[in-house]
Amino acid sequence: MAQNTEVVVIGGGYAGVMAANRLTQREDVTVTLINPRPVFVHRIRLHQVVGGSQDMIIDYREVLAKGVRLVVDTAARIDTAEHSVVLAAGDTVGYDYLIYAVGSGSADPRVPGAAEFAFPIAGLEEAQRLWSVLDAAPATAAVTVVGAGALGIETAAELAGAGRTVTLVCGEVLGPYLHPRVRRSIAKRLAKLGVTVLEGPDARVTAVTRDAVRLGGGRELPSGVTIWTAGFSVPDLAVRSGLSTDALGRLLTDETLTSVDDVRIVAAGDSAAPSDLPLRMSCQAAGPLGAHAADTVLSRIAGEQPASIDVGFFGLCVSLGRRAATVQLASKDDTANRFSIRGRLAVKIKESSYKGLLKHLADEARKPGSHTWPFKDDKRRQLLEAKCAEQPATAERAA
């Protein structure tokens, strides 16, 4: 009789759910998903929470395979010697293989007053708290959004579309990922919505108070509600568990997504750093990485050599309120180009992406092993070769 294999997935986001569903294609594999919430959070819609929407909370029964056991708790530590996960409640869950998909969250602002007076929005509870604060604030209260990545732009546009007076403080430049031509287009749309955009070296936040934001040039902006969207971080579970990570705390892996420390641990999503060359934190990468992590585990169970990752990008969708959007197109290596899609078609693409992400998960739950991704990165191998060539030279200089 074939021996049963226990696989534990930590993290129930896009990558974790995809991995858990894909693992169920083998009947001799038991899958346990550990997640701190009993519901799935459709994270790319969190900016809409500020407008009172609750469409981002999804019942796991809609996206998770029936054969997956859901444990609602927080992983406190991974005991690699005992092959177990220690939970915050005190229980332990044993594993033969573990998929590390803990995701990402708001970064520590490290700006005086930001932790006390600014509101992050990268997590469900944070976004819900912000909605309560905005709901209680006067309609005329000045709102400042700090950080001009996709989340900052989408949040500023969402609030401006609801009639709020919004200032978007970029730090340096609006949408650093964007091509200059696309950036100008988005700036025009934000201006049309009434958003004041502050860019340049003097647009760096130096301090946050209860009712103001101070900038590098000495300027002080009145701010009834300050929202912090500048940067993301990852949970420190890998660090606390004695596993090797990159500078941000992402689990270091090889190109098969296997931990450089432990062949039984595989990473996926925002918390993975394959070859110390991590992919952009995004739902776009999370699904394929989750599927690939599951494939790596299944290959090892079958006694086969896992394949290397091959995940490319198509660009970035940015919501600009409920009636507008821009799709920034990119090369497969995630380099933004001068082309974009705007107007009604962009809105349809953005809305279809919301539905499509959930459909990919549900389809994989129904038919595990079916998910594929069309975009491949032809230049990643070149990056790896350049990195390998650079490391001996660096070591030689240090000697």
Side-chain angles (χ1 to χ4, degrees):
M1 183 175 179
Q3 181 178 357
N4 190 71
T5 302
E6 301 280 348
V7 183
V8 170
V9 180
I10 304 178
Y14 300 112
V17 171
M18 178 61 74
N21 288 346
R22 199 172 185 89
L23 288 164
T24 61
Q25 61 190 291
R26 283 190 64 129
E27 294 183 357
D28 59 348
V29 172
T30 300
V31 185
T32 299
L33 178 67
I34 300 172
N35 193 64
R37 303 181 192 87
V39 294
F40 177 83
V41 177
H42 200 2
R43 188 175 174 186
I44 62 171
R45 302 195 73 160
L46 280 179
H47 66 281
Q48 295 179 346
V49 174
V50 299
S53 174
Q54 294 296 314
D55 291 343
M56 71 297 303
I57 300 174
I58 309 296
D59 193 312
Y60 266 118
R61 288 176 295 184
E62 296 184 28
V63 295
L64 192 62
K66 293 181 180 179
V68 176
R69 172 193 173 211
L70 177 64
V71 173
V72 181
D73 206 333
T74 299
R77 183 170 58 87
I78 301 168
D79 188 333
T80 57
E82 295 296 327
H83 301 155
S84 66
V85 179
V86 181
L87 303 177
D91 296 332
T92 60
V93 180
Y95 65 82
D96 295 305
Y97 289 95
L98 182 144
I99 292 182
Y100 186 86
V102 298
S104 62
S106 300
D108 181 356
R110 297 186 180 179
V111 170
E116 293 84 1
F117 302 116
F119 297 90
I121 192 178
L124 174 62
E125 291 77 15
E126 294 172 338
Q128 290 174 330
R129 178 187 175 212
L130 173 59
W131 175 81
S132 297
V133 171
L134 286 165
D135 189 51
T140 56
V143 178
T144 304
V145 179
V146 180
L151 181 58
I153 292 171
E154 292 184 327
T155 302
E158 184 78 15
L159 289 170
R164 293 284 184 175
T165 302
V166 182
T167 299
L168 179 60
V169 180
C170 302
E172 281 289 345
V173 64
L174 175 70
Y177 173 85
L178 303 172
H179 185 277
R181 179 182 180 184
V182 180
R183 184 178 299 126
R184 288 191 294 270
S185 171
I186 288 180
K188 288 180 181 179
R189 176 60 188 175
L190 290 173
K192 188 175 181 179
L193 286 169
V195 177
T196 299
V197 177
L198 300 181
E199 297 181 90
D202 290 341
R204 288 185 175 274
V205 176
T206 59
V208 179
T209 66
R210 189 179 302 277
D211 55 9
V213 172
R214 294 174 187 159
L215 304 181
R219 182 179 177 185
E220 185 168 290
L221 302 175
S223 183
V225 180
T226 302
I227 303 170
W228 200 273
T229 70
F232 291 91
S233 65
V234 298
D236 64 350
L237 177 60
V239 175
R240 284 186 278 116
S241 302
L243 295 165
S244 297
T245 67
D246 69 358
L248 196 62
R250 291 172 288 212
L251 187 69
L252 282 176
T253 76
D254 63 14
E255 286 294 285
T256 73
L257 300 179
T258 303
S259 165
V260 297
D261 301 311
D262 193 327
V263 73
R264 293 179 178 271
I265 298 178
V266 180
D270 291 353
S271 53
S275 303
D276 204 11
L277 290 171
L279 283 71
R280 171 163 56 90
M281 291 184 179
S282 63
C283 59
Q284 194 174 156
L289 288 177
H292 193 98
D295 289 345
T296 291
V297 170
L298 293 172
S299 292
R300 295 201 186 281
I301 292 172
E304 301 170 352
Q305 176 60 38
S308 296
I309 58 171
D310 193 357
V311 178
F313 290 79
F314 69 83
L316 177 69
C317 296
V318 182
S319 290
L320 297 168
R322 299 298 175 95
R323 297 181 179 181
T326 292
V327 180
Q328 163 71 77
L329 300 180
S331 301
K332 294 176 183 178
D333 67 348
D334 205 25
T335 301
N337 59 43
R338 64 193 300 268
F339 301 107
S340 66
I341 301 172
R342 291 176 285 171
R344 294 181 180 179
L345 178 57
V347 174
K348 289 182 179 180
I349 291 173
K350 184 65 177 178
E351 288 298 323
S352 68
S353 73
Y354 290 147
K355 298 176 182 178
L357 282 167
L358 298 181
K359 185 177 186 303
H360 290 328
L361 297 177
D363 287 349
E364 188 69 15
R366 179 180 53 83
K367 190 177 179 181
S370 62
H371 183 66
T372 59
W373 47 101
F375 299 100
K376 312 293 183 180
D377 181 3
D378 301 330
K379 295 184 179 180
R380 184 170 178 84
R381 184 175 296 276
Q382 297 175 22
L383 287 174
L384 290 169
E385 291 174 352
K387 181 179 176 65
C388 290
E390 181 182 339
Q391 286 175 338
T394 303
E396 185 177 336
R397 287 196 298 269

